[in-house]
Amino acid sequence: MIIIPRPLVFLFAFVLFATSCRRDLQLASWNVDLVAPIAYGELNFSDYVTSDNLIADNEELIHIVASETLVSLGLDTLIGIPDYSIDTGFVIPISITFPPGVPFFVQKEDTRLEVKDVELTYGVIRESEIEVFLENTIDKPVLFQYAIYSATLNGDTFFVEERIEANDTMTRRYSLEGYDLDLRGESGTGYNTVVTFIQAMIHPSETENHKFNAGDEFNIKNTVKNIIPEYIEGYFGNQSLKFDEDESVKVFEKLPFKSVNVTEYDLELFIDNGIGADLKLSINELTAFNGSTSKEVGLDHSIIGSDEFFTRAVNLYDANDPVRHVQKAFSFTDENSNLDKLLENRPDRFLFDLSIEVNPLGNVSLGNDFAWYGHNLSAIMKLDLPLVISVKGAEFTDTAAFTFESGQSANTTKRINSGQLNLFLENGYPFGATVQFYLMDTLGTVLDSLLLVPTSLDGALENELGIVEESVKSVVEIPVDQELFSNLEGASFLKTNVQLNTTGLDSIHIRSNSQIGYKLTADLNVATQ
Amino acid sequence: MIRHIIVFVMLSYAATTYAQEPILSFQSEYAGRNMVGAYGGITATSSDFSNRFVGSLISDDQLEPSLILDQLSIMDADRNKLGMDYESGVIGSWNVKNGPHSLLFRASDGAHIHFSTPKNAMALVFQGNKPFAGDTLDFSNISGLGMRYQQLSIGWSYNQGIGASIWAMASFVNGQQMAEIDISRSWLYTGTLGDTLGVGLTGTGYLSDTSHVGFAKPSGIGGALDFGLNRQFQGDFSDWIMRASVQNLGIIEWSSRTIQADVDTNLNWYGVEINDLLAAGEQFEGTALEDSLTRGIDNSLSKGRHYTWLPGAAQVDFVQLKDKGLELGGGAVVRWNAGYNPFAYGRIGYRFNTAIALHSTIGYGGYGAFQMGIRGGYVSEHIHAGLAINNLEALIVPSQFAGGSLNFHFSYLF
């Protein structure tokens, strides 16, 4: 949005006030030469980068730091225990009489969990609930008793007892939080199995026997929902997990240049295994993708295409510190990779294709694989990019929508005969620039340029220590006339084009205490009406 | 005797219409007769402005830069005055029982404007601030007063003998409109690069009720006195008449809805501070210089009664009395609350007969410097009339002077 210099409005007001004692007297117009400040400020490079990603070291050198988690493989991915239901329905086959308090239905059974190709023997439930649905179709109240023998809390088995009134139904929910789960079944040698018990009787409070008719029906449905284990143990199988995803990165999106020559960096791929199972990691592809240019650069490093084996984490059986992780870091340098090319691409996304094989050597733990909640297998990319860069020839282009407020300020702008806006710069950064501004219509057609020719701005010089000792002054003159305002009214976008050039040395240092001071002033010849 | 009276009447009117002399006076005596009449006039004067400049300013579409430069070249560094007076009215005189006493009546509408400004203020207005970049432009001591009022007057005159009379009038004054400004300190600093503006302002201002405007609508009330005396004495070659008067000695109390401003502020403006270009639009809001000035002025505004002295005058005038031939005269005027320097004038003219005379005036002071005018008078048994055109210097040398005056009177005696 273009703002009409308000100090000019003030000066107009002064001129008109002083010459308009009589409102009905139409005075002649005359031209005055006005100069006035419009804006000033100090621009700092760090303002344009997500602040969390910037730190300054002791020498005020700015570092871009980032930590992006590429993969996080946890219990849900490894085990993935789904919701499950146990439906128990029975029909009285013959007419028979039962006294109150004598079970007319008893069932104890093993229920197999529908999990992946794993053999789980033990677990602790972090969060889950069980929903019990009971239906009584006879004309006497019935006492239902339901137990999960596999689930114990402080030694007590999960057990519920409910009275269902005659010809009634009931739904109840119970929490399973904190229950230990023995998944070995009734035999004690199985896996993925829970043992449940159901019993029904005419409620003992009744005084008369009840005669069941053939065809009387009872229904029980138990649903275990939202199972989040705190801990799981068993054999996790020989699984292969493939990850073909992209991860957005926000580090570079505000960097004010399209390309940069990175000369120093420190990046590592950090693998952190908190799972009690052997793993094999294969990184097939890692690509830096720039969405604005659609350019992608693939990582060239020894890790690409090779298999990396990770031994299992160590179970410490301590709820406060339950796991000793196994960690491994891969360092990327300009000698062992082309990572600089990836960073210079200003990626906004990392595309990666990797696969993980669990227990590549089979059940070598003899069913003692384990996983704790929150202790995952993670692949984290850690970046430390000190801004020692070369931006020679780098280009910064930004297109911003704007609306020229001609309505309110039309009288003011129409009175401007000629002049210019002066941008006085005091550059404390060791790079210069060549700038031009373009007005564009909605179709992107360039209507006009604000500067007669692209204007060069000098950059400051670094000393041998890479420190700028003195800022450099430059002036950008933007001609102003009625043609400009006409083009402003017709324009919808302002395109800024900046060609950056480091001065002196090939690589310069971007420091947090550097800045570009500017003052924008108007120098206009204006008609009073 | 009658002829002397007629000549006296004519000259009295002449005095009321000469350049830069007060045009609001009632000086006539009509011994033994009744009279009704009307008069009117407007005079505007300045030797610090030029007619060429003012004329172009109010009549052309475009003011040429050369005219501005010419105008500035003739201006005084500290004080440049311009004054304007207007009055029109009807008058009457009723002789009591054919004796020495007469009752006087008057109803009039008047206006007065004067202002004084330093050259720098004009330069800023007409050239802008760029010529003063890198410097502090001091344009202190701007003052001005404008008011419109109506008067209803009643008075008395006593004819003590030939050429000797005293008179006095009391007036009710309706204050219609008033604006007054007095800026004792004002400066503007413009940075060399145009990157800084500094403004300092100390002053007061008054503006009468703006919700109650229109002809004769009262925004204030007041009273005024006019009085004077006339004495005839004998010179070496002819008789002379000396006339002394005080006019518009009065005050108006403007209503409690009068807006008052008392400003004493200093501001510096460097532009809007924008350290985040991505939020530039938001940072522009409410931070402009005129916003700060407006806030400063708004905070200084109040309403209350205000008293203003009428722009009155004291005048002494000498007139030679002849039946025919060359006539001489002169006088001096001082005014208060009118931004007016003392004005002295001399006159010379020719009387063709007892009915017709033509006089010219040369004066110095008032709102200008050198000034001149011309008038003609006619007197008959029942008709007295006069027409004066003044500030001829502004017509002859429009590049150096500004102003113009036209006054008339017409009376019927019975």
Side-chain angles (χ1 to χ4, degrees), chain A residues 55-87:
Chain A
I55 61 169
D57 63 18
N58 294 334
E59 296 179 342
E60 303 294 343
L61 181 63
I62 296 176
H63 293 239
I64 296 177
V65 294
S67 179
E68 294 287 342
T69 300
L70 303 181
V71 172
S72 182
L73 180 63
L75 272 171
D76 52 342
T77 313
L78 271 177
I79 313 300
I81 302 176
D83 296 352
Y84 72 92
S85 295
I86 304 172
D87 291 332

Side-chain angles (χ1 to χ4, degrees), chain B residues 60-286:
Chain B
D60 290 345
D61 292 333
Q62 184 71 30
L63 195 59
E64 295 301 324
S66 60
L67 267 183
I68 295 173
L69 291 176
D70 290 345
Q71 172 60 53
L72 292 174
S73 69
I74 65 171
M75 299 187 82
D76 182 73
D78 300 322
R79 296 183 71 191
N80 298 277
K81 292 183 171 185
L82 190 149
M84 190 201 81
D85 284 288
Y86 148 80
E87 184 168 337
S88 62
V90 293
I91 55 175
S93 170
W94 179 55
N95 182 249
V96 180
K97 296 180 179 180
N98 294 321
H101 298 280
S102 293
L103 291 178
L104 309 177
F105 309 95
R106 182 178 67 185
S108 66
D109 172 41
H112 170 83
I113 296 173
H114 77 265
F115 74 85
S116 175
T117 177
K119 179 180 179 179
N120 281 348
M122 295 297 294
L124 178 62
V125 169
F126 289 97
Q127 292 186 311
N129 68 329
K130 184 178 179 181
F132 309 102
D135 200 358
T136 298
L137 186 68
D138 186 347
F139 50 103
S140 302
N141 299 316
I142 299 174
S143 62
L145 171 67
M147 65 168 64
R148 180 87 180 266
Y149 52 91
Q150 293 79 37
Q151 289 179 293
L152 287 175
S153 311
I154 186 167
W156 160 85
S157 71
Y158 175 61
N159 185 16
Q160 298 167 303
I162 296 175
S165 64
I166 57 174
W167 59 274
M169 297 187 74
S171 302
F172 166 78
V173 182
N174 173 60
Q176 176 186 319
Q177 202 168 1
M178 177 274 300
E180 183 177 356
I181 188 170
D182 183 6
I183 299 175
S184 60
R185 181 183 67 94
S186 52
W187 54 266
L188 173 69
Y189 169 74
T190 303
T192 305
L193 302 178
D195 55 342
T196 305
L197 287 180
V199 178
L201 186 67
T202 300
T204 57
Y206 301 91
L207 185 63
S208 59
D209 187 359
T210 55
S211 64
H212 196 238
V213 295
F215 179 72
K217 289 186 175 178
S219 294
I221 58 173
L225 292 175
D226 292 23
F227 52 88
L229 63 85
N230 305 294
R231 287 291 183 270
Q232 183 174 332
F233 57 91
Q234 189 168 17
D236 291 338
F237 304 103
S238 65
D239 287 349
W240 292 72
I241 282 288
M242 185 278 288
R243 178 181 62 112
S245 64
V246 172
Q247 301 157 47
N248 273 345
L249 179 60
I251 197 168
I252 296 177
E253 179 192 47
W254 300 94
S255 76
S256 59
R257 297 178 62 84
T258 300
I259 299 170
Q260 306 182 8
D262 191 355
V263 180
D264 186 1
T265 187
N266 293 312
L267 292 171
N268 285 319
W269 173 250
Y270 308 101
V272 179
E273 183 174 5
I274 298 175
N275 295 317
D276 182 0
L277 293 180
L278 300 177
E282 300 168 8
Q283 294 174 74
F284 259 105
E285 299 300 324

Side-chain angles (χ1 to χ4, degrees), chain A residues 1 3 6-7 9-11 14-15 18-19 25-43 47-48 424 518-519 521 523, chain B residues 56-58 60-63 68 124-130 139 190 193-197 269-275 277-278 284 288-291 293:
Chain A
M1 182 174 65
I3 305 296
R6 294 193 176 189
V9 179
F10 158 67
L11 289 175
F14 180 84
V15 168
T19 56
L25 182 64
Q26 182 65 43
L27 297 181
S29 174
W30 65 92
N31 299 329
V32 293
D33 294 315
L34 302 177
V35 291
I38 298 174
Y40 71 99
E42 293 172 344
L43 306 179
D47 294 338
Y48 298 94
F424 299 96
Y518 75 92
K519 296 174 180 176
T521 69
D523 180 356
Chain B
S56 178
L57 181 64
I58 63 176
D60 290 345
D61 292 333
Q62 184 71 30
L63 195 59
I68 295 173
L124 178 62
V125 169
F126 289 97
Q127 292 186 311
N129 68 329
K130 184 178 179 181
F139 50 103
T190 303
L193 302 178
D195 55 342
T196 305
L197 287 180
W269 173 250
Y270 308 101
V272 179
E273 183 174 5
I274 298 175
N275 295 317
L277 293 180
L278 300 177
F284 259 105
L289 174 60
E290 74 271 21
D291 295 332
L293 279 177

